[in-house]
Amino acid sequence: MALTGTKTFKNFIGGEWVDAGSGETFESVSPATGDVLGQFPRSSAEDVDRAVAAARAAWEEWRLVPAPERGTILYRFANLLIENKDDLTDLMTREMGKVKAEAGGDVQEAIDMTLYMAGEGRRMFGQTTPSELRDKFMMSVRMPIGVVGAITPWNFPIAIPSWKLAPALVCGNTIVFKPAEDTPLLAERFVELLQEAGLPNGVVNIVHGFGEDAGEALVRHPDVPVITFTGSRETGVRVTHTAADQLKIVHLELGGKNGIIVLDDADLDLAVEGIVWSAFGTSGQRCTAASRVIVQDGAYEELQSRLVAAAERLRLGYGWDDDTDVGPVINKAALEKIHSYTEIGKDEGAKLLTGGEVASGNGFDKGNFYRPTVFGDVDPQMRIAQEEIFGPTTALIRVRDADEAIRVSNGIKYGLSSSIYTRDVNKAFRAMRDLAAGITYINAGTIGAEVHLPFGGTKDTGNGHREAGQAALDVFTEWKSIYVDYSGKLQKAQIDNLKPGA
Ligand code: ADP
């Protein structure tokens, strides 16, 4: 696939492809090769204003389209994703860098999410409940809210936009989408396919650009009542502050510092496989990645040696090559940040067991490749055990028993994913109850969420909202309670009804 080139892409506003008002552009660069994949408009508040105006105008009609009809458009979109899955997968290995199997999984997740949400068009259940008064009917219905501002990161360039756009659309909202500046080409393909599926003009608009100008302008815009954001904790806090004055609905999906617990009775082969997949899959660039492995004393030595051996067998390379296990990290800044944590870990006294270096030679110099890294003898309070590194680095922590394991697992500011390997059903159930996280896996690693259960975390991972499943509808609709009195007379709730015992 010849992707290298200087093609200039555009924003999509009100059904038209347009340049940024300023005419400025930025490049999308492959993390694997350094090749430029295209130029994209560097949008500013002026472009965001135009997009929001288009989305606001389109909303007046879109909110009246029956939800099953909105769902039908999403079914068509899912089919287009299926037809284009191979191309999107290949493009993702080039623009984002993840390996082919995972890139295919990313697209598949968008297909699954879109199909699930398309079906919501014929559900979107509310409640009916008996009135306390005669000849009176009551129900609650979900109402669309208006223009949704969707701000996404680069690590799931097709899946995450689908988590936000599919539910927002089926619920009857219109969208201004500001994708990550590292993966604009995939976002652009996503919107092209959505449009091809038959969305009316203005229902979905894409505004490319950087967080501090286009992103911030979207969060600040008075005609955007809902912001759905996935990214770093730091930016999430900033978004919250910016949106606070206008009391916007802000949905945040932020960081993680997820731990896998391995108890003495665990199946170690299974555990090692799960750790490798969770720590080094997507080069550790998942918010659910396992960057801590909390191991009970009796299993520690054996697990450590098996894990190091497994990490050293991983083949670093280009995502599009079939035999690559671990691809590049997203950009030079990420590479530097990941390496700085290796230095921090060494300075803190953790034992570097393998990796810990930027890969060179073999064509690696043009891309951003970091060797899978394992630290041993890590104290739970060390920075490498507390802060999100977002790279292929994991930290082994030794504990005495299951209770200490859970305390250590919970002893971080985030609360996204968690996991325990044990064959003791009692310990497994205690962990399900006591692990302070939005997601807990038993005898599986920290990654692998499916689209029909809520996704999100406790503590600093977010602000109480969830994506995916039914829970997503709570972000993109507001409840309306409706009372219909067909008695033909004034009836007063709490006053005219029969009192118990009267
Ligand atoms: P990451 O570390 O994953 O790049 P960021 O939080 O920096 O996380 O970025 C996630 C998304 O948020 C990107 O689309 C980025 O452009 C956007 N963004 C960054 N800063 C802001 C901001 N101040 N306001 C709104 N969006 C922002």
Side-chain angles (χ1 to χ4, degrees):
M1 196 178 190
L3 280 168
T4 312
T6 49
K7 182 171 175 197
T8 301
F9 294 87
K10 294 176 190 274
N11 288 331
F12 186 65
I13 298 178
E16 282 174 38
W17 295 97
V18 291
D19 294 322
S22 67
E24 283 183 46
T25 58
F26 67 96
E27 291 176 341
S28 172
V29 177
S30 170
T33 58
D35 291 337
V36 174
L37 304 181
Q39 311 282 334
F40 291 82
R42 183 172 176 169
S43 312
S44 63
E46 172 196 354
D47 307 295
V48 169
D49 283 350
R50 288 182 60 196
V52 173
R56 185 73 187 77
W59 185 65
E60 293 301 342
E61 174 51 29
W62 182 243
R63 74 188 178 90
L64 302 177
V65 173
E69 206 176 310
R70 298 195 293 250
T72 301
I73 297 176
L74 288 183
Y75 280 122
R76 282 205 291 272
F77 176 52
N79 282 333
L80 288 168
L81 287 172
I82 292 167
E83 280 168 30
N84 287 276
K85 182 174 173 184
D86 288 348
D87 282 353
L88 290 168
T89 299
D90 188 57
L91 177 58
M92 200 179 303
T93 64
R94 287 158 207 278
E95 193 182 37
M96 183 275 163
K98 65 175 74 172
V99 300
K100 211 191 281 180
E102 292 181 44
D106 191 310
V107 179
Q108 188 59 45
E109 195 163 311
I111 294 166
D112 297 344
M113 180 62 82
T114 304
L115 289 172
Y116 179 86
M117 288 300 166
E120 236 5 92
R122 289 188 185 270
R123 285 188 298 267
M124 223 180 285
F125 299 129
Q127 300 106 30
T128 62
T129 184
S131 168
E132 63 190 38
L133 295 164
R134 287 168 191 253
D135 299 329
K136 190 175 170 193
F137 182 82
M138 325 191 342
M139 62 186 163
S140 63
V141 292
R142 290 187 180 275
M143 302 297 285
I145 305 174
V147 180
V148 169
I151 301 175
T152 57
W154 45 264
N155 63 336
F156 282 86
I158 295 290
I160 291 181
S162 81
W163 297 1
K164 298 182 182 313
L165 272 59
L169 288 170
V170 81
C171 289
N173 304 285
T174 55
I175 314 277
V176 176
F177 173 28
K178 205 302 281 173
E181 48 270 46
D182 284 299
T183 50
L185 187 47
L186 285 157
E188 131 107 24
R189 289 291 293 135
F190 185 90
V191 167
E192 263 177 24
L193 295 176
L194 252 179
Q195 201 59 21
E196 202 180 322
L199 281 180
N201 289 341
V203 171
V204 166
N205 307 273
I206 186 167
V207 178
H208 291 284
F210 291 92
E212 57 272 24
D213 28 55
E216 189 113 6
L218 187 55
V219 176
R220 204 178 286 288
H221 201 291
D223 289 335
V224 180
V226 184
I227 297 293
T228 173
F229 169 85
T230 301
S232 62
R233 180 190 180 281
E234 195 186 15
T235 310
V237 169
R238 189 159 165 181
V239 164
T240 305
H241 278 292
T242 307
D245 277 351
Q246 298 176 58
L247 299 170
K248 296 188 180 206
I249 295 167
V250 178
H251 158 252
L252 302 173
E253 202 50 67
L254 310 175
K257 188 69 191 173
N258 316 290
I260 292 179
I261 295 173
V262 183
L263 298 184
D264 285 351
D265 70 348
D267 175 339
L268 288 194
D269 287 333
L270 190 66
V272 169
E273 257 188 297
I275 296 163
V276 168
W277 175 228
S278 303
F280 305 123
T282 324
S283 308
Q285 303 170 109
R286 295 182 180 224
C287 43
T288 52
S291 50
R292 299 181 301 152
V293 182
I294 302 158
V295 193
Q296 195 173 0
D297 235 355
Y300 187 93
E301 298 301 335
E302 181 63 24
L303 185 103
Q304 174 173 299
S305 68
R306 289 201 209 179
L307 178 60
V308 169
E312 287 174 351
R313 278 196 299 273
L314 293 173
R315 285 158 306 194
L316 209 54
Y318 299 127
W320 55 87
D321 284 341
D322 284 328
D323 56 359
T324 299
D325 298 309
V326 179
V329 299
I330 190 69
N331 53 35
K332 294 282 175 227
L335 197 64
E336 280 163 25
K337 177 179 169 195
I338 292 162
H339 190 62
S340 78
Y341 273 101
T342 296
E343 297 301 330
I344 290 168
K346 286 198 276 189
D347 289 348
E348 285 177 311
K351 201 151 117 200
L352 179 62
L353 301 171
T354 187
E357 58 180 15
V358 175
S360 56
N362 233 357
F364 287 150
D365 303 302
K366 290 190 181 155
N368 318 310
F369 291 90
Y370 204 76
R371 299 237 172 254
T373 301
V374 181
F375 274 103
D377 294 335
V378 177
D379 181 276
Q381 294 311 317
M382 287 178 180
R383 286 182 62 194
I384 56 166
Q386 289 287 325
E387 297 172 18
E388 190 173 42
I389 301 171
F390 227 60
T393 302
T394 200
L396 285 167
I397 302 170
R398 189 192 293 261
V399 291
R400 278 183 309 277
D401 54 27
D403 286 345
E404 188 186 358
I406 287 177
R407 269 199 310 281
V408 168
S409 184
N410 290 346
I412 45 159
K413 66 182 172 196
Y414 298 109
L416 183 51
S417 188
S418 56
S419 144
I420 186 167
Y421 282 85
T422 178
R423 286 186 267 216
D424 181 331
V425 69
N426 296 351
K427 288 183 177 136
F429 267 87
R430 282 194 196 107
M432 288 181 227
R433 182 191 62 196
D434 294 337
L435 284 169
I439 304 169
T440 294
Y441 292 91
I442 307 297
N443 291 325
T446 49
I447 63 181
E450 298 183 32
V451 302
H452 43 305
L453 278 186
F455 180 92
T458 61
K459 302 193 277 183
D460 283 15
T461 294
N463 57 351
H465 294 292
R466 292 290 184 271
E467 308 204 270
Q470 294 289 296
L473 306 184
D474 292 334
V475 173
F476 300 112
T477 56
E478 286 200 287
W479 284 112
K480 175 177 276 194
S481 299
I482 299 175
Y483 300 91
V484 183
D485 191 320
Y486 54 97
S487 69
K489 60 186 183 212
L490 174 65
Q491 298 198 91
K492 300 180 205 123
Q494 292 92 38
I495 295 173
D496 289 347
N497 58 325
L498 275 179
K499 310 287 180 301

